[in-house]
Amino acid sequence: DIQMTQSPSSLSASVGDRVTITCRASQGIRNDLAWYQQKPGKAPKRLMYAASSLQSGVPSRFSGSGSGTEFTLTISSLQPEDFATYYCLQHNSYPRTFGQGTKVDIK
Amino acid sequence: QVQLQESGPGLVKPSETLSLTCTVSGGSISSYYWSWIRQPPGKGLEWIGSISYSGDTNYNPSLQSRVTISVVKYKSQFSLKLSSVAAADTAVYYCARFVTYGDSFDYWGQGTLVTVSS
C-alpha cells in the first residue's frame, strides 16, 4: 500500500494568512493526487485533482503543486469559510489511500 | 447535477452484516466507477472498495474478506455488504463516483452513520 503522510496534522491561522499543507507519498504516484476539504458533518469536497488542477467552482486562492512523492496545497489568503479539515488522496494505485488530515482552525 | 444518496440501517448488531445502498440520480450509473469510503467518528477517511459499471471490483485488502460491492444498473444503485461487523466498523459511510479507472472521487453522497452495537 502507498502511505500518504500529511503535515502538519493541525495548524492555527488568521484570516488573510497564507497556508501551506504538505502530503508525501511513500512511493512515486506521478501527479495522481487530489485534495479535499471537509467541514464538520459534511462530505468531503474535491478542491484539486491531478495535483494542480483546480476543481470547477473552487476559488482561485486554492492551488496545488507537486509530482512524484511530494505535494502541496496552498491557500493564498485564508478566508473564514476555509476553516476545515483537508485531506490528500492518492489515486495512482489500489488500495486508494488518504492522508490523515490537516485541521485548519482560527488563531 | 449528479446526486448520490446512501440508505440503510443506522444500527447493526455485532457479528451481523452491514448493508447499504447508494442511489444515483441526475446522471447515468453506466460508464462510471463507484466507491464506498468510511470515516469513524473523529477520525480520517478509509477507502473500502470500488466497482466499475461493468461489475469489476477492487477492495481494500484490510477489509477484502468481509466486503462485497455490487451494482444494479436498472435501479441506478450500487450496494455495500460488510460481514461480521464489530464496534470498529462504526463510521459514517459515504458513496462516491469517479469518472475513469485512474481518477479521484468527484461526487460524494452526504454520508450515513452506521453504529455497531448490541
Side-chain angles (χ1 to χ4, degrees):
Chain A
D1 299 6
I2 297 175
Q3 307 303 316
M4 305 302 295
T5 304
Q6 260 182 261
S7 60
S9 55
S10 65
L11 65 90
S12 295
S14 301
V15 172
D17 283 354
R18 182 181 181 87
V19 169
T20 299
I21 299 168
T22 297
C23 197
R24 288 186 175 87
S26 60
Q27 63 191 72
I29 58 170
R30 304 182 305 185
N31 69 336
D32 297 330
L33 185 110
W35 289 99
Y36 293 86
Q37 177 193 66
Q38 187 179 34
K39 296 182 178 179
K42 299 293 187 182
K45 170 188 172 184
R46 191 170 71 174
L47 301 175
M48 311 291 306
Y49 62 95
S52 59
S53 295
L54 188 67
Q55 178 73 30
S56 175
V58 173
S60 58
R61 63 180 179 273
F62 290 92
S63 64
S65 65
S67 184
T69 61
E70 186 152 339
F71 302 85
T72 59
L73 173 71
T74 299
I75 310 172
S76 60
S77 178
L78 198 65
Q79 298 301 301
E81 60 268 30
D82 301 335
F83 292 97
T85 302
Y86 294 84
Y87 294 93
C88 61
L89 162 74
Q90 70 80 17
H91 52 95
N92 177 264
S93 65
Y94 286 106
R96 303 297 197 232
T97 45
F98 292 89
Q100 77 274 24
T102 296
K103 185 175 182 180
V104 178
D105 61 22
I106 301 171
K107 182 184 277 185
Chain B
Q1 175 80 347
V2 175
Q3 292 187 316
L4 289 75
Q5 178 68 57
E6 304 90 350
S7 59
L11 181 63
V12 181
K13 291 182 167 54
S15 80
E16 295 191 343
T17 296
L18 178 161
S19 295
L20 295 175
T21 297
C22 182
T23 302
V24 180
S25 60
S28 173
I29 198 168
S30 298
S31 303
Y32 294 102
Y33 296 76
W34 307 93
S35 269
W36 288 97
I37 296 148
R38 71 180 182 178
Q39 185 172 39
K43 296 189 177 181
L45 298 161
E46 179 183 34
W47 173 78
I48 298 170
S50 296
I51 190 166
S52 73
Y53 54 89
S54 58
D56 297 323
T57 54
N58 284 280
Y59 297 136
N60 193 321
S62 67
L63 299 168
Q64 183 156 7
S65 63
R66 299 193 290 132
V67 172
T68 303
I69 297 175
S70 57
V71 63
V72 183
K73 289 185 202 173
Y74 76 92
K75 287 187 175 181
S76 289
Q77 293 178 337
F78 64 103
S79 65
L80 168 69
K81 292 189 186 299
L82 181 66
S83 64
S84 304
V85 298
D89 295 309
T90 294
V92 174
Y93 286 76
Y94 294 101
C95 56
R97 187 191 85 162
F98 54 115
V99 176
T100 64
Y101 182 81
D103 203 358
S104 55
F105 312 115
D106 57 353
Y107 285 97
W108 295 61
Q110 65 186 26
T112 187
L113 174 63
V114 179
T115 301
V116 178
S117 175
S118 55

